[in-house]
Amino acid sequence: MASPAPLRVAVIGAGYWGPNLARNFKAGPDWELAAIVDMDRARAAKLAAAHGDVAVCGSVQELLDTVDVDAVAIATPAHTHHGIALTALRAGKHVLVEKPLADSRANGLEMVEEAERRGLVLMADHTYCYTPAVLKIRELISDGSLGEILFIDSVRINLGLVQPDVDVFWDLAPHDLSILDFILPGGLRPAEVAAHGADPLGTGNACVGHLTFALAGGGMAHVHVNWLSPTKIRQMVVGGSRRTLVWDDLNPQQRLSVYDRGVSLEAQPRSAAEKAAEKKASAISYRLGDTWSPALPEHEALGQMVTEFANSIWQRRPARTSGAAGLRVLSVLEAVSHSLSTDGRPSAVTGNEFQLEGTR
């Protein structure tokens, strides 16, 4: 069977992330990079020139009026995602959006509903989900190698960049939340979250933050984000009833380590009467087994992501990191903001309409 003709795509935004998207669309066999769009035409022209015969447009409307494309990839500030995505979807274009999906859950929901109504693909660019390490973590959780997930502890800290328009949660936590949505069976679906933040520099936004929420089965997740740390740490620990996994994203020699170590506790009485009748102390045992590091293939995550975007369009299915996945992340972020505004009190996560679609 012959391969389908490459899809034509425009990259909207030629700033920080746009060049990375343009390079991967240009390199991928599934895509033809057709246009670069930016209000700064000189910047768009410079990026277009680096990739050969690529059209330059100063606005989304100019793109839609003058260039024939199948899809657009949006790499602009979050507050612009909603308007650009709706314009493209209403013009019949498939849409890829840089994280976060939108600047509010309401805007994200409108984008998801518009794409569904028109039978178009809306995909969130959750790039980490296409890294070899995260794909392996998802596999190990899915096949039961780690057992029941007891806890997840994620740390994403570094020095800067302090953002003027969002706090550290909205800047950094989407990475961690999108990863959790990708690796956990059923996706990211806490009933409520609790968040604590601090602004010791007086910037007007939290610069240091801690987020906690319950996992299915009684476990707990903790996410630590920080703009003020002089050291950079990108680490996630996934503790299971059988094994514990440590992902150190800054250690290219050994990104993943799996520890066959843990704690076992005899089953506890189920009722108060049983507890009263059962007097003996619970026996705790410690398992100390081997440590191993899974071999990981070498590939660029963005290359895998643009391939998934093409396949989801051709196969008429939600992408692995669909608009629904982006909406689940937004729902948690809004609950985080509400919890911060109430001095860390638990805040309910709104909306389950798209809880499972696009998770697997």
Side-chain angles (χ1 to χ4, degrees):
M1 183 177 177
S3 299
L7 297 160
R8 288 171 57 82
V9 64
V11 172
I12 302 174
Y16 169 70
W17 197 241
N20 295 318
L21 289 171
R23 175 173 53 81
N24 279 273
F25 280 122
K26 183 68 176 180
D30 304 321
W31 293 98
E32 177 186 345
L33 180 62
I36 303 295
V37 182
D38 200 289
M39 290 188 297
D40 185 338
R41 293 186 73 97
R43 183 165 65 179
K46 182 178 179 181
L47 179 56
H51 295 293
D53 187 19
V54 179
V56 175
C57 299
S59 69
V60 175
Q61 197 57 54
E62 180 186 350
L63 167 74
L64 297 175
D65 289 342
T66 62
V67 184
D68 180 26
V69 295
D70 301 291
V72 302
I74 301 172
T76 59
H79 70 272
T80 67
H81 291 178
H82 172 255
I84 295 173
L86 287 183
T87 298
L89 289 168
R90 288 166 181 166
K93 313 304 179 185
H94 303 282
V95 175
L96 171 72
V97 186
E98 182 186 5
K99 67 86 184 169
L101 184 70
D103 59 350
S104 71
R105 185 185 181 280
N107 283 344
L109 179 59
E110 188 176 3
M111 292 158 61
V112 170
E113 290 178 335
E114 188 72 26
E116 287 205 340
R117 185 160 47 246
R118 295 177 179 274
L120 296 168
V121 170
L122 174 65
M123 180 175 176
D125 179 8
H126 292 165
T127 309
Y128 271 103
C129 298
Y130 298 92
T131 61
V134 173
L135 289 168
K136 188 64 176 180
I137 295 171
R138 173 165 144 153
E139 176 189 322
L140 292 172
I141 291 176
S142 179
D143 68 15
S145 294
L146 304 185
E148 182 183 355
I149 303 304
L150 306 178
F151 71 90
I152 296 176
D153 193 11
S154 187
V155 180
R156 185 173 299 274
I157 66 176
N158 58 269
L159 192 61
L161 296 168
V162 175
Q163 303 293 325
D165 55 342
V166 295
D167 63 26
V168 69
F169 287 105
W170 280 80
D171 181 41
L172 298 183
H175 294 301
D176 306 275
L177 295 174
S178 66
I179 292 166
L180 295 183
D181 183 69
F182 190 72
I183 66 176
L184 291 173
L188 184 67
R189 47 191 179 96
E192 62 180 22
V193 303
H196 297 269
D199 179 23
L201 299 183
T203 66
N205 291 310
C207 297
V208 180
H210 292 266
L211 162 65
T212 59
F213 55 87
L215 297 170
M220 180 181 183
H222 169 248
V223 177
H224 174 201
V225 287
N226 188 337
W227 280 330
L228 307 182
S229 170
T231 58
K232 184 175 182 178
I233 300 175
R234 298 280 188 274
Q235 189 175 86
M236 181 177 289
V237 182
V238 182
S241 58
R242 296 184 63 192
R243 297 178 182 88
T244 293
L245 178 146
V246 177
W247 171 32
D248 185 352
D249 194 44
L250 301 184
N251 183 356
Q253 284 73 42
Q254 189 170 329
R255 293 194 191 277
L256 294 185
S257 301
V258 180
Y259 298 84
D260 187 12
R261 304 175 188 176
V263 178
S264 298
L265 181 66
E266 282 189 358
Q268 296 297 296
R270 296 183 180 179
S271 68
E274 288 174 323
K275 289 180 180 180
E278 183 60 70
K279 299 295 185 182
K280 70 176 182 179
S282 299
I284 297 176
S285 62
Y286 296 90
R287 184 180 69 258
L288 299 175
D290 294 333
T291 301
W292 57 286
S293 181
L296 300 175
E298 291 294 330
H299 66 244
E300 184 173 1
L302 267 179
Q304 298 292 304
M305 189 273 297
V306 300
T307 296
E308 169 65 7
F309 188 30
N311 286 336
S312 65
I313 293 170
W314 283 327
Q315 296 168 17
R316 299 181 180 274
R317 61 165 174 82
R320 297 177 92 180
T321 54
S322 63
L327 188 60
R328 289 190 291 272
V329 171
L330 280 178
S331 297
V332 173
L333 288 172
E334 286 210 340
V336 165
S337 295
H338 186 265
S339 179
L340 285 177
S341 70
T342 57
D343 297 322
R345 294 176 184 171
S347 177
V349 178
T350 302
N352 292 312
E353 303 97 311
F354 298 93
Q355 197 62 61
L356 297 178
E357 184 274 313
T359 300
R360 286 292 176 231

